Amino acid sequence: MMPGPGAKLRALIESGEHFVCGDVFSAITGRIVEHVGFPAAYLGGHACSAFHYAVPDNGVYSQVEQIEQAARIAHVMSIPLIADADTLGETVADAYHFTRRYIQQGIAGFHVEDERNPKHSKHVNGLWSIEDQQARIDAARRAQKDSGQDFVIIARCDELYTSEMGGGGTGSMDEAIKRGHAYVEAGADVVFYPPRPDWVPELVKAFGSKIPVATMGFTLPGTAFNMATGGWVTAAANHLKLMRELKEEGRMLSGNFNFPEKYELIDHPLYDGLIEEWAEKTGRPTRPNHAP
């Protein structure tokens, strides 16, 4: 029996080898990340809320919407997908329910964060109490056990992500370590710390050695694994450039409208084959393969 998504992700983490999760925000970008050889993928809440709903990453984008988009991506890949699950809703009941939904949709794991909503906003909101965040992690772990499937629970600690940086933490290293231990005690498999301006490999390794499980971050050296981000920004910037060219010049001058893998990534050969077989069996006319 083939291992499920959660088991695949756990095996990557337990291998001890550093790996990077490619940035995805749609089904086609999931295909691309797998095609170029990443062992896992990451769907950020900011990327998905911006690209699909044009709203900021401050908590208004719901878990129902994130699960819907995550499922579309997970279903077209064979590599495991990690999803940004924000705070998993408002209560422990939400945390339990949404965890089951993520598992049912084939997601390998998620990170649940401790900054209160509306996060990353003008409001200086602070973090959940340690006890509140532990309760959310515990509810998620209960849902995982009740599902009977492996699932990686990542606790995101924003203590080092200060108000000046747009986060809800105070910047205390001691508090961040304390929270990390508490989250592991509640059932977290991994602890995720967003980067600080002063992070250097030596500091990250020293900090990580004080946490009893693997640590991870956004392109953070010295952690068990990293998550690449920013693909949606590049895609949006390129689209803006192309549309400006079209509006101002009457044509797009800098676009790349063809590349060898284009149709393979959307299963064009598969569907062409099915249609050709059906046409031949039913006596319908056919023509040479023609990509639209």
Side-chain angles (χ1 to χ4, degrees), residues 240-253:
L240 177 62
K241 178 183 178 182
L242 288 171
M243 291 301 101
R244 278 182 172 155
E245 286 180 358
L246 181 59
K247 181 68 170 60
E248 295 167 7
E249 305 293 336
R251 58 192 177 124
M252 292 182 281
L253 306 173

Side-chain angles (χ1 to χ4, degrees), residues 160 171-174 176-177 193-211 215 220-223:
L160 301 178
S172 167
M173 300 285 275
D174 289 340
I177 292 168
Y193 292 97
R196 288 166 47 113
D198 60 348
W199 274 138
V200 294
E202 295 74 18
L203 178 60
V204 175
K205 288 179 180 178
F207 183 83
S209 68
K210 298 177 182 179
I211 305 299
T215 57
L220 198 59
T223 52

Side-chain angles (χ1 to χ4, degrees), residues 42-125:
Y42 172 69
L43 173 65
H46 190 188
C48 214
S49 66
F51 207 84
H52 292 281
Y53 299 93
V55 295
D57 184 27
N58 62 11
V60 298
Y61 172 63
S62 76
Q63 286 300 291
V64 173
E65 291 165 325
Q66 178 75 336
I67 291 168
E68 177 183 307
Q69 298 298 336
R72 292 176 179 178
I73 298 168
H75 292 169
V76 301
M77 302 189 306
S78 61
I79 59 174
L81 174 65
I82 297 172
D84 178 349
D86 283 347
T87 61
L88 274 178
E90 292 302 310
T91 72
V92 292
D94 295 330
Y96 182 93
H97 172 68
F98 289 130
T99 301
R100 289 205 304 181
R101 292 283 307 280
Y102 275 108
I103 294 170
Q104 289 164 357
Q105 294 301 329
I107 315 305
F110 60 41
H111 65 78
V112 52
E113 58 196 76
D114 55 7
E115 185 177 347
R116 293 180 295 188
N117 287 326
K119 62 192 182 72
H120 309 160
S121 70
K122 292 284 187 181
H123 172 54
V124 180
N125 50 351

Side-chain angles (χ1 to χ4, degrees), residues 13 152-156 184 188-192 213-216 225:
I13 296 168
V152 176
I153 295 174
I154 301 166
R156 171 169 167 165
V184 172
D189 298 301
V190 177
V191 181
F192 164 28
V213 295
T215 57
M216 56 161 280
F225 60 101

